[in-house]
Amino acid sequence: MISFMDATAELRIAEDPSALAEIAAQEVLAVARAAVAAHGRFTVALAGGSTPRATYTRLAQPPLAAQMPWDRTVVFFGDERGVPPDHADSNYGMARAALLSRVPIPLERIFRIPGEGADPEAVAAEYARTLGEVLGVRRGEVPRLDLVLLGLGVDGHTASLFPGSPVLKETFRTVAAVHAAAATIPQRFTLTYPILNAAACVIYLVSGAEKAKVVKAALGDRSSGLPAAMVRPTAGRLLWILDRAAAALLPSRRTS
Ligand code: 6PG
């Protein structure tokens, strides 16, 4: 594994997807333990898509499963598709199958985005209210999650923040309903930059040769304006965990 840091981000490069999942699961455990030690609970927004599945599976297996503070963990989602929880494309459904159904987190501490709701704007507003209430912030304050896990699309999207979307300009609301024409399921719900950049820690999980070009653009050129490049916690940690294939176009660096 190669590790290095530039001005704003830490980078870990794993040999392959399996090593990426192991490193990511260890990082989640470390963040969870530190959060519980610091303030008695661990609040996390899970990523959707397919890359995180192996990390979630690792967290649900020995030895990490027994080390995680599940009884202090509160789960949210970084984004969701406009589908019911049992739909094959549900981010909640993927996380439930790989992790949430296998570990002792009380259901009342898992907050999915009800993407199937008939009124998307109301769904987004209600989820924002829930985030504020559960994370205990006063009106107008932005909730601070201990950890946000994110993926990266080949077009540079992250969560459901897609290039060219008006939601990229959101500076107040923490959750938005978006219509992502380029996405397989256009109706989406997403956390926005205000809450993503308020997080104590953001970890990107990116795997595969098909992501190498967009990784170089997102990490190499902050002015690229790619949605993923605009996630930079103002007072938190930013860590990118890639496998070698996804990191292939990054300038080679001396390991620390
Ligand atoms: C979603 C995700 C999305 C995902 C990227 C990468 O709902 O689709 O939140 O942002 O993280 O598209 O997806 P893969 O991990 O499947 O490549």
Side-chain angles (χ1 to χ4, degrees):
M1 175 178 76
I2 301 171
S3 298
F4 51 86
M5 185 178 229
D6 71 15
T8 56
E10 294 171 58
L11 202 46
R12 300 263 195 288
I13 301 175
E15 276 304 316
D16 54 37
S18 175
L20 185 159
E22 183 58 32
I23 293 164
Q26 293 283 357
E27 285 286 350
V28 171
L29 174 61
V31 173
R33 281 175 152 173
V36 169
H39 55 86
R41 68 178 179 177
F42 168 51
T43 59
V44 56
L46 297 181
S50 56
T51 304
R53 188 181 290 116
T55 299
Y56 299 162
T57 303
R58 278 287 198 302
L59 285 167
Q61 291 169 341
L64 300 186
Q67 300 170 34
M68 275 290 293
W70 300 119
D71 60 333
R72 304 293 188 88
T73 297
V74 186
V75 173
F76 299 95
F77 287 81
D79 74 325
E80 187 55 274
R81 290 86 180 269
V83 295
D86 55 357
H87 187 285
D89 289 332
S90 165
N91 287 338
Y92 166 78
M94 182 274 281
R96 181 181 58 193
L99 175 62
L100 302 176
S101 60
R102 302 161 182 254
V103 293
I105 301 180
L107 269 180
E108 66 269 16
R109 277 209 244 107
I110 299 173
F111 298 92
R112 74 177 184 92
I113 303 172
E116 70 279 16
D119 179 351
E121 291 303 326
V123 166
E126 178 58 19
Y127 199 68
R129 195 196 58 72
T130 301
L131 275 161
E133 187 178 281
V134 172
L135 296 178
V137 290
R138 287 186 288 279
R139 275 184 68 78
E141 268 188 356
V142 180
R144 182 173 170 83
L145 288 156
D146 294 314
L147 176 60
V148 176
L149 295 179
L150 291 173
L152 175 67
V154 291
D155 61 354
H157 81 261
T158 191
S160 284
L161 299 169
F162 286 84
S165 168
V167 75
L168 303 183
K169 297 186 174 58
E170 180 61 49
T171 57
F172 178 71
R173 291 181 304 158
T174 55
V175 185
V178 297
H179 182 80
T184 44
I185 296 176
Q187 180 59 64
R188 298 291 191 106
F189 300 88
T190 188
L191 297 191
T192 60
Y193 289 133
I195 190 168
L196 296 178
N197 286 334
C201 181
V202 172
I203 300 181
Y204 273 97
L205 308 178
V206 189
S207 167
E210 74 280 5
K211 301 285 176 76
K213 273 180 76 175
V214 70
V215 162
K216 181 172 187 284
L219 267 178
D221 175 6
R222 297 279 173 216
S223 62
S224 65
L226 290 176
M230 308 312 285
V231 176
R232 277 172 273 167
T234 44
R237 181 181 175 215
L238 175 59
L239 169 61
W240 285 67
I241 305 178
L242 314 172
D243 63 13
R244 274 193 184 282
L249 298 181
L250 289 180
S252 60
R253 311 236 180 166
R254 281 175 294 103
T255 53
S256 50

